[in-house]
Amino acid sequence: QLCGNIFDGMKARLKERQVITTQDEDNGSVHAEVPMIWKDESQIESHSIVARSVMSALDVLLANLAWSREATLTEDWADEMEEENADEHIVVKQRDQLKNLLIMCFEQSLPNPGCLDDGQAFPDELEEFADVIQAHACSVSADLRSLLRREFEHATASHLRAFALTEDEALASGSIQYIQSKDSDLQALDRDSDDEEEGGEGDRELAVQVFLPFLRNLTANWKVCSRRETGCVLAHITGSGGDATEILEVMGRKAKQIDKIRLLETQMACLRLMFDDWFEDEPAEPESDRPTEEEVDAYSELADKHQARFQTMKQKASRLSSLMGIAHFKGARSKIATTLLAFFKEGIRYAFSIDNPHEDADLMPGARLTFLHLLGKYAGWIKKNRQSKAAIFDDLDEREDHLRQDPEFDDVHEDDLAALREFRHVMGEPKKVVTPTTSGDEHSVDGEDLTQATGFTGASRTDGNDSDSMNMTMTPSSSKARASTRSVASSAGSIRSRYSKSSLTQASLSPLPEGDDEDSEISPPPKRI
């Protein structure tokens, strides 16, 4: 009864302070409305009190759940709990109660200030309230998921199966949402890491606050954890300050002890998330054929930042690769060696793929080849294995042959082909001579991919534990605005230039919806006849 009263009280206080968002059905724009309680000056002091109350309520509910669980496990369970009565058990009720309150805490996340109807910023008190509530919810969520592990669903005892927190997607999404909201603060830590006067207890406190809860949960649920969630966390292994790097390396070493293959799978998820995010975030070049000097300067600045971001991604890939450890790949027929081969094949498949979940039209052929820059950071683990190396080149040859037969091959940018040549070189094959119709500077590349045909599941857009599709990042200058890298005023440098001409034509002519071709990414290219 006490827990029920606490839950009801905190629910009411959170609801009356939650920012209301609505989406326009016509144009998809999001509008946000700040509740009146945040505009009432007489309530200003109450917000911090409510925040502390909510945090205390979460602690009380978690502690009570832990005691109930412990009491249940120490009792004599000679009579097994009936499956149909599982929902009535006190631990199950307390679990669901706490989970629902945590979800409400994560719903305090603020949208972009540009969504406000009046064009104003959110009140400082509201931003502070949302931040502290989500930070504490992230910590308690990790403890809850560690306390009632997913693996309990496979336990022999029926009461443990009932206790397992298997439907935790909302908690995982809330945790990811929180860590993404701290990206700018974490990047500032990295910039200040070399300045002893800037760095301090506050910096370490932020890194611990953000990443330690993930460390607790992911190590407890490593074998069944969300790859997407883990990938988002691992993306901070560099670029978020020395303390974040130290915490995540500890997590990596612990994860490797539990399940090395799972670590490799989550690394592919991380690489693809980073690459997709980078790819979609490419700056748009000026629309005018004769841009002003200010427009050129603004675009150049954004392009430089985009290039720098890719270099940071390559550093992350190198650090992630180093977590695996060479000793674990000895033996051509070992399970980890087989998985590593699947890892590379999936990376190659992704690099050659042209499907685009964000648009109706496919990408230009070879648009993702720069992903190979990241995959190549793992070359040292596999290229000494003759059988694996031969299998990789067979797959690479077949996909490249299919690419060269594409009617739009002449439009493939030199940077993409250079990435492919460099990947071959990194894998131990002399560079091939490929003659495209466009010209440009050659960039080194190293990429990776997984293949479902070999059983490697880490790179799939979704998996059994991930309800959300994954977003990622890419390399130097992608095909999205390749022409703009060569000439800002080029009329060929529109954002649409990365899309396939044939798919654009087909999309404009056919009003009929086409079925989702889920196998298009994992199927091998057709063989030449």
Side-chain angles (χ1 to χ4, degrees):
Q1 183 65 36
L2 174 61
C3 291
N5 292 336
I6 292 175
F7 173 80
D8 292 338
M10 295 304 102
K11 175 182 177 181
R13 286 162 176 77
L14 288 171
K15 284 295 184 182
E16 66 181 354
R17 287 169 171 78
Q18 182 178 341
V19 173
I20 302 171
T21 58
T22 56
Q23 188 171 13
D24 192 305
E25 295 182 357
D26 295 331
N27 56 25
S29 60
V30 178
H31 303 279
E33 181 181 351
V34 178
M36 289 302 299
I37 193 170
W38 292 105
K39 302 176 183 179
D40 187 350
E41 295 184 359
S42 65
Q43 296 285 340
I44 291 180
E45 295 183 358
S46 69
H47 301 313
S48 60
I49 297 174
V50 171
R52 291 194 295 270
S53 298
V54 172
M55 293 164 65
S56 298
L58 291 174
D59 292 339
V60 169
L61 294 178
L62 178 66
N64 195 57
L65 173 61
W67 279 110
S68 298
R69 171 186 175 275
E70 183 65 19
T72 300
L73 296 180
T74 54
E75 290 178 4
D76 183 10
W77 280 86
D79 298 326
E80 286 290 319
M81 180 171 54
E82 296 293 336
E83 294 289 346
E84 58 269 19
N85 298 328
D87 293 341
E88 300 300 321
H89 195 278
I90 184 63
V91 173
V92 176
K93 288 183 176 180
Q94 292 175 347
R95 177 201 68 191
D96 293 342
Q97 207 170 54
L98 179 55
K99 185 182 76 170
N100 291 333
L101 186 58
L102 287 168
I103 292 174
M104 284 186 282
C105 289
F106 286 127
E107 289 175 346
Q108 301 300 309
S109 174
L110 301 179
N112 190 303
C115 298
L116 291 174
D117 293 333
D118 54 8
Q120 300 297 317
F122 290 111
D124 293 340
E125 296 83 7
L126 174 54
E127 291 185 343
E128 182 179 359
F129 179 85
D131 183 67
V132 297
I133 289 295
Q134 290 180 88
H136 199 68
C138 193
S139 177
V140 174
S141 173
D143 290 334
L144 173 61
R145 296 164 75 188
S146 302
L147 194 65
L148 302 178
R149 303 180 181 185
R150 267 179 169 268
E151 62 184 16
F152 284 175
E153 67 176 326
H154 304 298
T156 303
S158 60
H159 61 285
L160 282 181
R161 294 197 300 272
F163 295 169
L165 181 59
T166 56
E167 298 179 359
D168 61 347
E169 292 82 6
L171 299 182
S173 296
S175 299
I176 293 173
Q177 175 181 269
Y178 171 69
I179 196 173
Q180 290 176 338
S181 71
K182 310 302 290 185
D183 278 351
S184 58
D185 294 333
L186 292 167
Q187 291 170 9
L189 292 185
D190 189 59
R191 291 193 296 269
D192 297 337
S193 60
D194 295 333
D195 191 336
E196 295 183 359
E197 294 183 0
E198 293 284 349
E201 289 298 327
D203 295 347
R204 287 188 287 274
E205 182 179 350
L206 177 60
V208 169
Q209 172 185 299
V210 173
F211 295 111
L212 201 56
F214 286 94
L215 178 61
R216 296 198 300 270
N217 169 55
L218 293 177
T219 52
N221 292 285
W222 181 248
K223 293 184 177 181
V224 291
C225 66
S226 163
R227 296 184 183 90
R228 178 174 179 267
E229 181 181 10
T230 311
C232 288
V233 176
L234 286 177
H236 290 269
I237 196 167
T238 63
S240 299
D243 293 296
T245 297
E246 182 179 354
I247 292 173
L248 295 180
E249 285 184 338
V250 169
M251 186 191 81
R253 289 194 292 269
K254 180 64 176 178
K256 186 169 62 175
Q257 294 175 2
I258 300 173
D259 191 336
K260 297 183 289 292
I261 292 177
R262 187 73 175 185
L263 178 59
L264 193 60
E265 293 174 347
T266 57
Q267 287 192 16
M268 174 56 74
C270 177
L271 295 175
R272 287 185 54 173
L273 281 167
M274 291 191 299
F275 184 86
D276 279 350
D277 287 343
W278 177 88
F279 188 72
E280 291 301 320
D281 195 38
E282 187 166 8
E285 60 185 19
E287 296 181 359
S288 173
D289 291 342
R290 296 181 178 180
T292 63
E293 185 176 349
E294 290 76 13
E295 290 176 330
V296 172
D297 291 341
Y299 173 78
S300 297
E301 182 179 356
L302 292 175
D304 290 342
K305 290 181 179 179
H306 197 249
Q307 295 284 343
R309 183 175 169 187
F310 184 76
Q311 297 304 317
T312 300
M313 288 168 50
K314 293 173 68 174
Q315 294 173 7
K316 293 178 187 290
S318 294
R319 186 63 68 97
L320 290 172
S321 175
S322 67
L323 284 178
M324 297 308 298
I326 188 65
H328 296 294
F329 295 102
K330 292 181 178 179
R333 298 183 179 179
S334 65
K335 186 176 181 180
I336 187 64
T338 302
T339 305
L340 184 62
L341 173 60
F343 176 90
F344 269 85
K345 285 190 173 184
E346 171 60 17
I348 294 170
R349 182 205 61 77
Y350 175 73
F352 279 88
S353 66
I354 60 173
D355 68 296
N356 183 21
H358 306 290
E359 299 284 346
D360 293 332
D362 288 339
L363 299 174
M364 281 289 297
R368 291 193 178 110
L369 285 176
T370 45
F371 181 74
L372 296 174
H373 280 291
L374 307 183
L375 189 60
K377 299 301 180 183
Y378 293 76
W381 302 131
I382 197 170
K383 65 181 182 180
K384 294 182 180 179
N385 184 322
R386 292 184 179 180
Q387 293 180 351
S388 296
K389 182 178 176 180
I392 290 173
F393 279 121
D394 286 344
D395 186 46
L396 200 61
D397 290 341
E398 188 174 4
R399 293 186 184 277
E400 182 177 352
D401 184 61
H402 181 60
L403 172 66
R404 292 173 66 83
Q405 294 181 67
D406 193 288
E408 297 183 67
F409 175 73
D410 287 345
D411 295 325
V412 178
H413 193 271
E414 169 60 22
D415 285 351
D416 295 321
L417 295 175
L420 176 57
R421 293 195 299 269
E422 181 63 21
F423 180 67
R424 287 181 172 277
H425 177 68
V426 169
M427 289 296 297
E429 179 183 85
K431 294 183 179 180
K432 285 189 174 182
V433 178
V434 181
T435 306
T437 58
T438 57
S439 61
D441 295 333
E442 186 173 301
H443 297 283
S444 63
V445 182
D446 29 30
E448 63 185 23
D449 211 46
L450 309 172
T451 180
Q452 293 179 354
T454 57
F456 188 85
T457 59
S460 57
R461 301 297 285 185
T462 59
D463 59 46
N465 301 320
D466 300 332
S467 60
D468 302 309
S469 61
M470 296 186 293
N471 280 332
M472 301 186 174
T473 310
M474 189 170 158
T475 16
S477 57
S478 72
S479 298
K480 182 176 182 178
R482 276 289 157 68
S484 61
T485 304
R486 303 187 298 275
S487 172
V488 175
S490 171
S491 60
S494 66
I495 287 185
R496 304 294 293 181
S497 66
R498 66 171 176 156
Y499 300 125
S500 169
K501 297 174 184 176
S502 59
S503 64
L504 286 173
T505 303
Q506 184 179 23
S508 63
L509 294 178
S510 175
L512 299 177
E514 297 183 15
D516 294 332
D517 188 4
E518 297 179 354
D519 297 328
S520 61
E521 279 199 51
I522 61 174
S523 301
K527 297 182 180 295
R528 296 186 66 179
I529 298 177

